[in-house]
Amino acid sequence: MSNDSNQKGGGKSLFALQRRELLMDELRAHGAITVRDIAAKLGVSELTIRRDVNSLADGGLVSRVHGGATLRSPLDRTAVAGKPPAYSYAIGMVVPSLDYYWPQVISGAREEAEGQNLRIMVRGSAYDASDNRRQVQALLDTQNIDGLIVAPDMAGAPGRELLRWLNALPIPVVLAERRTPSDIPAHRLEWVATDHAFGAGMAVRHLWQEGHRAIGCLTDTSSPTSPHVVRGWQQAMAALNIPPENQFYGESAKLDNGERAQHFDDVLKRCQETGTTALLVHSDTQAVAFVQHCVDKGIEVPGDMAIVGYDDEVAYLAEPAISAVKPPKRYVGKVAVQLMAARLAEGRMRPVHRIQLNPELILRESSVGAQRTTHEP
Amino acid sequence: MSNDSNQKGGGKSLFALQRRELLMDELRAHGAITVRDIAAKLGVSELTIRRDVNSLADGGLVSRVHGGATLRSPLDRTAVAGKPPAYSYAIGMVVPSLDYYWPQVISGAREEAEGQNLRIMVRGSAYDASDNRRQVQALLDTQNIDGLIVAPDMAGAPGRELLRWLNALPIPVVLAERRTPSDIPAHRLEWVATDHAFGAGMAVRHLWQEGHRAIGCLTDTSSPTSPHVVRGWQQAMAALNIPPENQFYGESAKLDNGERAQHFDDVLKRCQETGTTALLVHSDTQAVAFVQHCVDKGIEVPGDMAIVGYDDEVAYLAEPAISAVKPPKRYVGKVAVQLMAARLAEGRMRPVHRIQLNPELILRESSVGAQRTTHEP
DNA sequence: TCCCATTTGTTCGACTTTGAACGTTTCAGT
DNA sequence: ACTGAAACGTTCAAAGTCGAACAAATGGGA
């Protein structure tokens, strides 16, 4: 009867809300507050703070104690047993593509958000730091978001500057499929990312077990993922003691059809020179085009050339179907939301989490040879 | 661990709820408490603690015993109906020490397990792969465990062999404060570990901001943590462009008192030679001894030599109190249990998670110089 | 502009928490 | 079993917190 006020749309004095936010901040920072201190700090009467605390306690956000409040504690038996807080946060999400890869990440995030009673607002951006920033700013300005999940472009100086800016935002930020470089002290940024190096290594080991002894790597340098794939490929090659002269490495930028055919011919020629019989192709879109090209030229897949794609977006569409490393995209979104929810609930006391997820290797026809072996990477 | 020093004028007493949480922590860490100890530790009367214990016992959270309390045991028949403690899963936990560092990890794990309705069985082990394996085997044989959390010794060939063995176990395994090396394909092992390199870097940047330009590192090579601390120190030194001739690096194994004094004298001499005015000392136990040594020799801390310890177990006890990097120990335990619970619930579809947590830098007297600067790492 | 709903402040008796004193209970060692 | 020491809990008092009732201030809409 008395709680649950300001519903009618009457005087929505922002000040009360601000006070409560501040109170929650203080609480998250120190774990507990006294009514007296907060009242003194804000220059309002203690009764006002008590009323704030009670209102927050009714919402299940804090535990009322004699003299103040603490973060909600399991020992607090006062609250309604059934329903933990009916409070909801809004999370902004900025991703670099709404066509490729990211829809599944968003879908995972949405699914998790629904369960956690959170709202998610997604914006697409370009693969470009300044546009990332513009989109984030738009969310901050127009929506009232409590947290941000973002997959920024981190290349070069603008990328670093963007990271610094994100790190300094007043709301928690979680990076998706990005990691903070160790030389920039972005100590507040949390992240979830697929361990692409592990995925590439898994592919290499699979091809090794299929009998290949010269395994190449063809990547798309326009993608932020590419360096990790290359690193994983190199590490695995080194661990398997494959000499450098049996290592073919090629790069492709975005090409249109004519150039692409030419480029693929070059790749095949260099494979022949180095004796390469298997390729890890980053971005399975490209893998599909490459397999197509091979088939057109009469090169048998996997007989003459085994292929493993990276991303598993469209790999199953090719003929023959392409084996691919499949990042746990939905889980990336899901875990990002979990991180954000936990951060919003626990505040600063919670240590910064940085999470890697391992991808999975999906075996299809393009890499499984005559004598099929068990697929233990 | 927490505050025993007053910040400003007013008295700093804990709220009843906080006291009870602390009491439960202590209980989870050690299995039992005495009223007297807790009262002394918190500086309140024994009667107050007794009242707390009774209240918790009424809630069915602890078992009263003469002189203190224990975790609620099945033997305790005192009332409390309607609480069927049907555990879902049993988790084994093997840690290398029950004195240092690990009690807090266990406490965090127990706390989380309680909420998730899991049972945890802890075994102490030696810092030694073969004993690790023996303890795990004992758990597998005698208890019927569904999952395993373990902090194995990973050094050398026996360590790798142990990892392979763990990876092949039929139950899920989560490593605590350990990571899988990238060259061994332990693809099923999940882990939670503190990012000690980050912690060391944070300490170095703090000392740099305090005006130090030659920052040394003294580590205890017997600890598995040590390499990460050294790596973080090196990276930070490189990032700050501190030339190698201003870098002192020393190692200490376990020494008894006579040798230790000699060793510390050597360290101080080499610091003088290299112009080192600040040291990061791994294992704060050692830092305490070192500060003691400095004080005995008339070397001012932080005036002549600034010190930051690593681990924050006993750093606050020294005179002057030692600044220290504090790993989020209870969260390590907590997150390990979360990982395990999610794995047991979701099965193989869930991708392998590998989580790093960032430590925190606690500033005390031993590193904060004349002109105090803001502590932005 | 005024009006009315909402929010904030003041006062003061009721209530909580804590600790000292002191009699009772429990436990371990004769 | 007996006994002394420690632990326990009842009672009471001091200190401080809580919130009902009412008064004052605030601010958005007619």
Side-chain angles (χ1 to χ4, degrees), chain A residues 17 51 88 235 317:
Chain A
L17 278 182
R51 286 197 265 238
S88 178
Q235 281 177 358
L317 292 174

Side-chain angles (χ1 to χ4, degrees), chain B residues 197-263:
Chain B
F198 179 91
M202 196 158 45
V204 169
R205 285 192 294 272
H206 158 62
L207 290 167
W208 169 272
Q209 285 196 314
E210 286 288 326
H212 299 281
R213 291 299 175 267
I215 301 166
C217 180
L218 182 62
T219 74
D220 177 351
T221 46
S222 69
S223 155
T225 305
S226 145
H228 299 111
V229 173
V230 175
R231 181 164 45 86
W233 169 71
Q234 284 170 333
Q235 281 177 357
M237 296 293 275
L240 291 172
N241 289 316
I242 299 179
E245 62 267 24
N246 285 351
Q247 298 184 8
F248 161 72
Y249 170 65
E251 299 180 347
S252 322
K254 285 264 144 63
L255 297 170
D256 38 294
N257 273 341
E259 285 173 311
R260 189 196 264 165
Q262 177 59 46
H263 177 65

Side-chain angles (χ1 to χ4, degrees), chain B residues 185-209:
Chain B
H187 62 285
R188 291 182 52 225
L189 295 180
E190 308 195 271
W191 49 258
V192 205
T194 304
D195 190 344
H196 294 300
F198 179 91
M202 196 158 45
V204 169
R205 285 192 294 272
H206 158 62
L207 290 167
W208 169 272
Q209 285 196 314

Side-chain angles (χ1 to χ4, degrees), chain A residues 248-327:
Chain A
F248 160 73
Y249 170 65
E251 298 179 347
S252 323
K254 285 264 146 61
L255 297 170
D256 38 291
N257 273 341
E259 284 173 314
R260 188 196 264 164
Q262 178 58 49
H263 177 64
F264 282 165
D265 278 334
D266 291 351
V267 168
L268 284 171
K269 185 155 148 263
R270 290 210 33 221
C271 284
Q272 225 169 359
E273 287 164 13
T274 52
T276 300
T277 58
L279 273 182
L280 171 61
V281 184
H282 174 225
S283 139
D284 67 342
T285 320
Q286 196 170 196
V288 169
F290 187 73
V291 166
Q292 182 63 49
H293 186 84
C294 288
V295 171
D296 290 350
K297 295 280 171 175
I299 295 169
E300 297 257 324
V301 174
D304 302 326
M305 177 64 73
I307 303 286
V308 174
Y310 202 100
D311 272 359
D312 201 41
E313 286 280 314
V314 291
Y316 65 98
L317 292 174
E319 186 56 48
I322 302 175
S323 298
V325 178
K326 175 178 184 170

Side-chain angles (χ1 to χ4, degrees), chain A residues 135-310:
Chain A
Q135 299 300 335
V136 170
Q137 191 68 61
L139 276 175
L140 290 170
D141 290 345
T142 63
Q143 318 286 338
N144 196 26
I145 60 172
D146 303 294
L148 179 67
I149 296 172
V150 57
D153 192 288
M154 296 173 21
R160 292 159 160 267
E161 178 46 33
L162 176 61
L163 273 189
R164 253 184 275 272
W165 182 72
L166 288 171
N167 186 53
L169 284 182
I171 58 174
V173 176
V174 172
L175 305 185
E177 287 294 18
R178 301 286 184 272
R179 309 134 205 262
T180 50
S182 62
D183 57 339
I184 176 175
H187 60 285
R188 290 183 53 226
L189 295 180
E190 307 194 272
W191 48 257
V192 204
T194 303
D195 190 344
H196 293 301
F198 180 91
M202 198 158 44
V204 170
R205 284 193 294 273
H206 158 63
L207 290 168
W208 168 272
Q209 286 196 313
E210 286 287 327
H212 299 280
R213 290 299 175 268
I215 301 166
C217 181
L218 181 63
T219 74
D220 176 351
T221 47
S222 70
S223 155
T225 304
S226 142
H228 299 112
V229 173
V230 175
R231 182 164 45 84
W233 169 72
Q234 285 170 333
Q235 281 177 358
M237 296 293 274
L240 292 172
N241 289 315
I242 299 178
E245 62 267 26
N246 286 349
Q247 298 183 8
F248 160 73
Y249 170 65
E251 298 179 347
S252 323
K254 285 264 146 61
L255 297 170
D256 38 291
N257 273 341
E259 284 173 314
R260 188 196 264 164
Q262 178 58 49
H263 177 64
F264 282 165
D265 278 334
D266 291 351
V267 168
L268 284 171
K269 185 155 148 263
R270 290 210 33 221
C271 284
Q272 225 169 359
E273 287 164 13
T274 52
T276 300
T277 58
L279 273 182
L280 171 61
V281 184
H282 174 225
S283 139
D284 67 342
T285 320
Q286 196 170 196
V288 169
F290 187 73
V291 166
Q292 182 63 49
H293 186 84
C294 288
V295 171
D296 290 350
K297 295 280 171 175
I299 295 169
E300 297 257 324
V301 174
D304 302 326
M305 177 64 73
I307 303 286
V308 174
Y310 202 100

Side-chain angles (χ1 to χ4, degrees), chain B residues 79-160:
Chain B
V80 188
K83 183 70 155 99
Y87 289 115
S88 46
Y89 293 107
I91 299 178
M93 188 163 177
V94 175
V95 300
S97 163
L98 293 171
D99 309 323
Y100 187 79
Y101 201 102
W102 294 92
Q104 289 206 60
V105 177
I106 296 168
S107 169
R110 280 242 162 82
E111 185 183 333
E112 182 67 21
E114 202 162 294
Q116 305 249 11
N117 210 29
L118 299 165
R119 202 156 29 108
I120 291 203
M121 274 154 305
V122 179
R123 289 184 80 105
S125 172
Y127 279 94
D128 160 60
S130 71
D131 190 53
N132 291 157
R133 177 155 172 177
R134 206 171 309 126
Q135 300 298 336
V136 171
Q137 191 69 59
L139 276 175
L140 291 170
D141 291 344
T142 64
Q143 318 284 341
N144 198 25
I145 61 172
D146 303 293
L148 178 67
I149 296 172
V150 56
D153 192 289
M154 295 173 22
R160 297 162 157 264

Side-chain angles (χ1 to χ4, degrees), chain B residues 128-130 132-133 136-137 152-169 175 181 183-186 189:
Chain B
D128 160 60
S130 71
N132 291 157
R133 177 155 172 177
V136 171
Q137 191 69 59
D153 192 289
M154 295 173 22
R160 297 162 157 264
E161 178 45 34
L162 176 60
L163 274 188
R164 253 185 275 271
W165 182 73
L166 289 170
N167 185 53
L169 284 181
L175 306 184
D183 57 340
I184 176 174
L189 295 180

